[in-house]
Amino acid sequence: MLATRTLLSKKAMAIISRQPACFVHQGDYGNWGNTNVAVVFSGCGWWDGTDVHEGVYTMYHLSRNGARFQMFAPNQQQMHVMDHMKNQPASGENRNMMMESARFSHGQGKMQMQDLSVLDANSFDAVIFPGGHGIIKNLSSFMKDGKDCKLHNDVERVLKDFHRSRKPIGLSSMAPVLACRVLPNIEVTMGYERDENTRWGSWPHTNMVQTVKSMGARHNVREPYEAYVDEKNKVVSTPSFMWDTDYHYHYIFDGIGNMVKHVMRMSTK
């Protein structure tokens, strides 16, 4: 009998060892596949779209915590194309946000990346907006209009629909600007409120913090590896690359991980 049990245990372990990690790992909140999250992109690249690290870290942590996710982006031209080597607009180039965002997908881009116009809050448990300058250039007119900015119609619709449905909203780096503009009395973090330059990094975008406060939001100071949770409004934010660092990317990774975990926690309530 003992030999039979040992043999069965070995066979079971052999089967499990051949499964993908996602099959074995259940995540911290719920089993694999029970939570469906929409992730909204604005292009590809920190200076003119979604930051590559923030987008990838978000998807990694969703996968690691047992979520399914669908990628969305507006099927429209982005504001401009930036030369990321020179940090200046590239002349004569025009790019589509959805096509650029599809660079984040693996395999069939048409299946993994969809037009933001078809995103229905009823089909998802939560929504996350990774950061990058696409937030203030493509998904809103913040770059030009500041606190009086207008949001892309579908971005505004999605934020209001998820908020109305009491479903969590995740935001990293510049993305709180979007929620603060259209959702009343929310609490967020975008990091520090003044630039405290150290050898580890700096906070060059603190003017945006003052702007969201002028929109009526309450701001909470947090480190780049932390997340702030507005339990009442189900809004979770993390500073991410509001903190400018040359190589301490693991802090950004951890901050987005904390944001995702809280989004997952609230989506199971």
Side-chain angles (χ1 to χ4, degrees), residues 47-261:
W47 290 108
D48 58 11
T50 295
D51 179 73
V52 173
H53 302 88
E54 294 189 34
V56 172
Y57 294 168
T58 298
M59 293 186 289
Y60 168 86
H61 284 293
L62 285 170
S63 175
R64 190 63 181 156
N65 283 279
R68 291 181 292 124
F69 58 87
Q70 175 66 56
M71 304 158 69
F72 293 89
N75 187 14
Q76 295 178 8
Q77 296 295 103
Q78 59 190 54
M79 176 180 170
H80 58 201
V81 178
M82 290 289 289
D83 182 332
H84 280 64
M85 291 288 290
K86 300 178 180 178
N87 190 19
Q88 65 184 34
S91 60
E93 285 197 51
N94 294 297
R95 296 186 184 180
N96 178 281
M97 277 185 273
M98 188 174 170
M99 291 177 65
E100 287 297 291
S101 299
R103 296 176 184 272
F104 286 96
S105 64
H106 188 270
Q108 295 294 323
K110 288 190 293 185
M111 295 177 61
Q112 293 187 323
M113 179 62 64
Q114 295 187 8
D115 191 332
L116 184 59
S117 64
V118 304
L119 173 50
D120 182 359
N122 294 318
S123 300
F124 293 89
D125 301 300
V127 64
I128 294 177
F129 288 79
H133 280 74
I135 294 291
I136 62 175
K137 293 180 177 180
N138 303 332
L139 301 189
S140 74
S141 65
F142 185 91
M143 188 74 176
K144 180 177 66 174
D145 300 322
K147 69 181 183 67
D148 298 317
C149 66
K150 293 183 179 180
L151 271 56
H152 185 285
N153 290 338
D154 286 318
V155 171
E156 181 171 351
R157 172 185 61 81
V158 166
L159 286 168
K160 288 182 176 179
D161 286 352
F162 275 85
H163 187 253
R164 189 181 303 113
S165 301
R166 300 288 299 156
K167 294 182 177 181
I169 299 169
L171 309 162
S172 62
S173 72
M174 298 181 179
V177 163
L178 303 175
C180 293
R181 183 69 179 106
V182 296
L183 304 180
N185 304 314
I186 66 171
E187 297 188 35
V188 298
T189 186
M190 297 177 77
Y192 284 21
E193 296 189 357
R194 65 173 184 265
D195 187 2
E196 298 183 12
N197 198 336
T198 70
R199 66 190 181 94
W200 303 106
S202 62
W203 298 88
H205 308 290
T206 53
N207 60 313
M208 295 180 66
V209 175
Q210 303 308 318
T211 303
V212 299
K213 290 169 70 174
S214 72
M215 291 177 178
R218 178 178 176 181
H219 183 263
N220 298 270
V221 174
R222 288 294 185 275
E223 299 292 343
Y225 50 82
E226 295 179 310
Y228 181 81
V229 184
D230 181 345
E231 295 281 355
K232 179 180 179 181
N233 290 290
K234 290 196 170 186
V235 174
V236 189
S237 50
T238 183
S240 193
F241 280 112
M242 293 294 282
W243 183 58
D244 190 13
T245 180
D246 289 332
Y247 51 89
H248 289 92
Y249 288 9
H250 61 288
Y251 289 128
I252 312 303
F253 180 86
D254 292 344
I256 290 177
N258 286 322
M259 179 265 287
V260 168
K261 284 183 178 181

